[in-house]
Amino acid sequence: MSNNIQYGFHVDASKCTGCKTCQISCKDRKDLPVGINWRRVYEYGGGQWTEHGDGTVSQNVFAYYMSIGCNHCSEPVCVKACPTGAMHKRREDGLVHVAADLCIGCESCARACPYDAPQIDKDRKVMTKCDGCFERLAEGKQPSCVESCPMRAIDFGPMDELKAKYPGAISPDVAPLPESSVTTPNLLITPNRHSRPSGATDGEVLNYSEV
């Protein structure tokens, strides 16, 4: 499963406002059915207000947004779980794709993926997922989510170039995402100042992405 090059995403959580433009542009590109969202925006927040005896109030309330799609992982558990070889990792760019003609719609890949990237098309009875906008890449364009973001909070490219471009970015061990050791995702995150680590218990996740 070695690649000549490995593409991935950078997400700047300090810039993301939760507008969901990335999600809508991704959905519009393939005219995806209701309920299928290859890119999703989550809000993670928590904290509380405390009223003191002298009438003053203190608080530690926080919230931030996280835009997430397929991370085209280096160790994709969706590929390992697929019984037919439909889910595969392309050698030329490291993007994880679905061969629809081989897919039997068993959803094993969806159950394995901790990022909820593979999603079933119930009408066609095949799995679907972010394909890295490979047709746009061939035309020298960026993925639709990248070009549509009004805050320029998302970037995409070869991972070595992204690491050089964003030296302050970290591995995606940021709540509400799972620990990166599970799949070795090709994702870098510039954290929000409120960012909590993966597995944090002081916040709740709001998924308002069902469009």
Side-chain angles (χ1 to χ4, degrees):
M1 205 176 283
S2 61
N3 307 311
N4 295 323
I5 191 170
Q6 176 62 62
Y7 280 87
F9 286 98
H10 168 260
V11 175
D12 190 338
S14 70
K15 292 181 178 179
C16 181
T17 63
C19 71
K20 297 196 292 183
T21 303
C22 57
Q23 177 182 315
I24 299 303
S25 66
C26 172
K27 194 175 185 72
D28 184 63
R29 169 179 165 257
K30 289 289 189 178
D31 194 23
L32 299 177
V34 172
I36 296 181
N37 296 291
W38 290 355
R39 179 159 289 276
R40 302 166 306 283
V41 177
Y42 294 92
E43 180 179 1
Y44 186 79
Q48 60 187 1
W49 297 85
T50 302
E51 185 173 353
H52 304 291
D54 60 0
T56 61
V57 176
S58 61
Q59 57 86 19
N60 60 355
V61 175
F62 70 93
Y64 58 90
Y65 300 98
M66 184 64 65
S67 175
I68 187 72
C70 177
N71 299 311
H72 303 285
C73 303
S74 294
E75 298 295 334
V77 291
C78 61
V79 172
K80 296 176 182 178
C82 180
T84 67
M87 191 71 70
H88 63 285
K89 191 170 176 68
R90 296 177 11 141
R91 292 182 178 276
E92 62 267 35
D93 50 25
L95 298 178
V96 177
H97 278 202
V98 183
D101 58 331
L102 298 177
C103 180
I104 58 175
C106 68
E107 300 187 60
S108 295
C109 56
R111 288 189 291 271
C113 177
Y115 298 100
D116 297 324
Q119 297 170 42
I120 185 73
D121 183 324
K122 295 181 179 179
D123 292 332
R124 296 192 298 132
K125 295 181 174 56
V126 296
M127 300 308 295
T128 70
K129 61 178 292 300
C130 161
D131 57 14
C133 285
F134 69 101
E135 308 109 313
R136 292 176 60 85
L137 295 182
E139 298 173 356
K141 300 177 181 178
Q142 284 277 46
S144 56
C145 61
V146 175
E147 290 197 349
S148 67
C149 177
M151 300 303 292
R152 298 296 181 257
I154 309 176
D155 202 355
F156 181 83
M159 286 301 292
D160 55 349
E161 294 182 11
L162 292 179
K163 290 176 182 178
K165 187 175 180 180
Y166 303 101
I170 62 174
S171 61
D173 294 306
V174 177
L177 305 184
E179 293 185 0
S180 61
S181 60
V182 178
T183 65
T184 314
N186 288 294
L187 172 66
L188 295 173
I189 294 177
T190 295
N192 183 284
R193 63 190 177 91
H194 297 300
S195 291
R196 267 47 176 183
S198 295
T201 58
D202 62 339
E204 296 183 356
V205 182
L206 174 63
N207 178 4
Y208 55 110
S209 301
E210 293 303 321
V211 295

